[in-house]
Amino acid sequence: LAKTTQPISMDSYEGQEVNITCSHNNIATNDYITWYQQFPSQGPRFIIQGYKTKVTNEVASLFIPADRKSSTLSLPRVSLSDTAVYYCLVGLGGGSTLGRLYFGRGTQLTVWP
Amino acid sequence: DAGVIQSPRHEVTEMGQEVTLRCKPISGHNSLFWYRQTMMRGLELLIYFNNNVPIDDSGMPEDRFSAKMPNASFSTLKIQPSEPRDSAVYFCASSSRRRPMEQYFGPGTRLTVT
């Protein structure tokens, strides 16, 4: 099981770019990297998923180096509403077999005015 | 699409009582997950189903917990008897075969056992 390691907390100010790095040294060949966001009193929400290099959507970018032992979630120009817990997950992204997922403790991002 | 539906949203019960949590996954999704979240332990996967079949229940705390998925549109998580340490928010999530890690979570059931 490929567990992940993330910083417990991060602080930023409105308008800044935030990069949250996740370590997953035991990632398997078939594993994808997925990030979720969770606001208080809500369930986690899918943000982005990738396998290698860079993935970008309307919310964030995900950078994955060649060895895939880490990944970085990049949030451009954060606002107060981006204050949330961010989880990095590693597991099978497709196919008929689904591995057990481990959410970990996540990173509490706090954005200040 | 209504998203994942969970009921009840809040449940307060006394120790020793049976508690049943319900979940309706997104139509067309073939995987269903039950999670529990507490401040102490974070978000834990209890059990997940693939095509209505339980695949991994190693996260179920003990025999007091059981989960069923009688059809593709309904699942239950039952705790009998309940204990105060079961107090938590219980989330249900579902995902499609093509993107199993893109899980859609319900609003959760906040369970308080006194």
Side-chain angles (χ1 to χ4, degrees):
Chain A
L1 174 66
K3 289 194 176 181
T4 61
T5 303
Q6 314 173 223
I8 294 175
S9 64
M10 293 182 68
D11 290 285
S12 182
Y13 292 97
E14 283 190 292
Q16 291 188 334
E17 178 184 77
V18 172
N19 295 309
I20 306 175
T21 297
C22 176
S23 297
H24 27 79
N25 292 319
N26 297 323
I27 189 169
T29 303
N30 294 333
D31 285 342
Y32 280 68
I33 300 154
T34 308
W35 286 80
Y36 281 77
Q37 174 192 56
Q38 185 177 24
F39 297 113
S41 301
Q42 294 185 25
R45 183 177 73 103
F46 172 87
I47 300 177
I48 196 167
Q49 177 175 290
Y51 182 81
K52 61 180 178 180
T53 63
K54 176 184 174 182
V55 179
T56 298
N57 62 21
E58 65 278 5
V59 176
S61 294
L62 179 59
F63 298 92
I64 305 169
D67 66 4
R68 302 196 333 117
K69 294 185 182 298
S70 67
S71 59
T72 299
L73 175 73
S74 181
L75 305 172
R77 299 180 59 80
V78 294
S79 64
L80 297 177
S81 62
D82 292 316
T83 294
V85 177
Y86 292 83
Y87 297 95
C88 167
L89 283 77
V90 173
L92 294 177
S96 61
T97 302
L98 176 64
R100 194 176 191 282
L101 298 181
Y102 178 73
F103 264 84
R105 303 296 287 184
T107 298
Q108 171 66 56
L109 172 65
T110 302
V111 180
W112 301 94
Chain B
D1 192 339
V4 175
I5 299 173
Q6 291 186 246
S7 65
R9 294 293 308 276
H10 302 273
E11 177 79 32
V12 180
T13 190
E14 292 184 348
M15 184 174 70
Q17 297 297 308
E18 176 180 294
V19 175
T20 300
L21 310 181
R22 298 173 175 79
C23 175
K24 176 179 169 55
I26 292 174
S27 177
H29 282 185
N30 71 311
S31 294
L32 183 140
F33 310 82
W34 281 102
Y35 291 89
R36 176 174 70 176
Q37 187 168 39
T38 61
M39 289 293 292
M40 290 292 293
R41 301 176 67 88
L43 190 62
E44 304 173 276
L45 176 65
L46 300 177
I47 184 172
Y48 74 88
F49 295 83
N50 203 31
N51 295 323
N52 311 339
V53 176
I55 301 300
D56 183 352
D57 65 354
S58 58
M60 296 285 262
E62 47 196 275
D63 292 344
R64 297 185 297 106
F65 285 69
S66 63
K68 294 183 179 179
M69 191 166 186
N71 57 62
S73 59
F74 183 66
S75 176
T76 59
L77 178 67
K78 185 179 295 186
I79 308 173
Q80 166 65 19
S82 59
E83 297 182 3
R85 59 189 169 129
D86 301 331
S87 297
V89 179
Y90 290 80
F91 289 106
C92 174
S94 68
S95 67
S96 67
R97 182 192 312 275
R98 200 167 60 87
R99 296 176 66 88
M101 290 184 67
E102 188 171 339
Q103 298 178 17
Y104 292 80
F105 282 72
T109 295
R110 181 173 296 277
L111 173 65
T112 302
V113 183
T114 61

